[in-house]
């Protein structure tokens, strides 16, 4: 998320607040990109759009549950995690019902090089067209292509299939090379 937030910090007309479990990392980001480091999650409550780049859906849920009570209704909370579609759908429904927050999934493809270059491909799942439109300028700051995949959870589902296809191609390539080796090629 570090280089992605760097691209967001360069957006005109917006301020980019950065929180990290390591305060030093958020402060380094602020010095490097001109974002504003915050040490308290509650300080993020003034944002209209928040993005999370966390390892799993479990961390998404933990952070969202800590943030949501402090967010205004209609705030957009976007997960760039390669998450679990069913967990994403449950979390989105819960946050919408209890806090009026829009939770969307927007996993990315392109790796660290794509993140640094601002050329990621994003797979957006959202239940609200209006909320999806509100987050698009922020997502487009670090991507070359954003595909609206369907409702909440659809982005994570597409990313899971994308990952499975990538691994399958690697395995098939490996098997092909072994077959060629056996033939002396």
């Amino acid at each position: 998320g570090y280089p992605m937030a760097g691209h967001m910090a360069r957006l005109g007309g917006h301020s980019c607040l950065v929180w990290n479990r390591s305060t030093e990392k958020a402060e380094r980001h602020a010095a490097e990109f001109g974002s504003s480091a915050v040490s308290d999650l509650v300080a993020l409550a003034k944002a209209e759009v928040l993005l999370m780049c966390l390892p799993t859906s479990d961390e998404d849920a933990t952070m969202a549950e800590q943030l949501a009570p402090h967010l205004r209704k209609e705030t957009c909370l976007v997960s760039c995690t390669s998450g679990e579609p069913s967990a994403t759908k449950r979390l989105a429904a819960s946050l919408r019902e209890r806090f009026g927050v829009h939770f969307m999934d927007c996993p990315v493809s392109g790796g660290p090089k794509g993140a640094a270059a601002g050329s990621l491909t994003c797979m957006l799942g959202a239940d609200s067209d209006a909320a999806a439109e509100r987050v698009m300028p922020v997502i487009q700051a670090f991507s070359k292509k954003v595909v609206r995949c369907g409702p909440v959870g659809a982005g994570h589902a597409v990313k899971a299939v994308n990952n499975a296809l990538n691994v399958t191609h690697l395995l098939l390539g490996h098997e092909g090379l072994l077959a060629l080796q056996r033939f002396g090629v």
Side-chain angles (χ1 to χ4, degrees):
Y2 192 93
M4 293 162 60
H7 292 290
M8 290 184 280
R10 294 184 187 113
L11 277 176
H14 300 277
S15 61
C16 180
L17 305 174
V18 176
W19 177 88
N20 190 284
R21 290 174 275 202
S22 162
T23 303
E24 295 80 26
K25 194 166 191 177
E27 290 170 350
R28 186 177 50 200
H29 193 278
E32 185 175 346
F33 295 105
S35 57
S36 298
V38 296
S39 58
D40 183 3
L41 284 177
V42 176
L44 298 173
K46 59 185 166 186
E48 296 174 22
V49 175
L50 292 98
L51 275 77
M52 303 186 299
C53 296
L54 299 167
T56 70
S57 291
D58 287 341
E59 283 91 354
D60 273 355
T62 299
M63 292 303 299
E65 290 294 341
Q66 290 176 24
L67 280 167
H70 306 286
L71 301 177
R72 294 181 306 254
K73 287 186 188 306
E74 303 303 316
T75 296
C76 297
L77 183 56
V78 182
S79 166
C80 294
T81 303
S82 291
E84 301 171 36
S86 57
T88 300
K89 291 176 88 163
R90 286 191 304 272
L91 181 58
S94 174
L95 294 176
R96 189 75 184 138
E97 179 182 314
R98 294 184 299 139
F99 303 105
V101 170
H102 295 282
F103 186 79
M104 293 170 253
D105 52 318
C106 189
V108 301
S109 181
K113 284 184 181 177
S119 62
L120 295 171
T121 297
C122 301
M123 295 143 267
L124 178 62
D127 287 339
S128 164
D129 291 340
E133 286 301 315
R134 285 203 334 260
V135 303
M136 286 300 270
V138 177
I139 295 168
Q140 289 169 335
F142 56 80
S143 62
K144 70 175 178 183
K145 184 174 187 178
V146 181
V147 178
R148 176 80 185 275
C149 298
V152 168
H156 284 157
V158 170
K159 175 65 180 202
V161 170
N162 181 63
N163 286 350
L165 290 172
N166 284 335
V167 169
T168 301
H169 287 121
L170 286 172
L171 292 173
L172 287 172
H174 179 262
E175 289 298 318
L177 291 172
L178 288 175
L180 289 172
Q181 185 181 36
R182 280 187 224 114
F183 283 112
V185 177

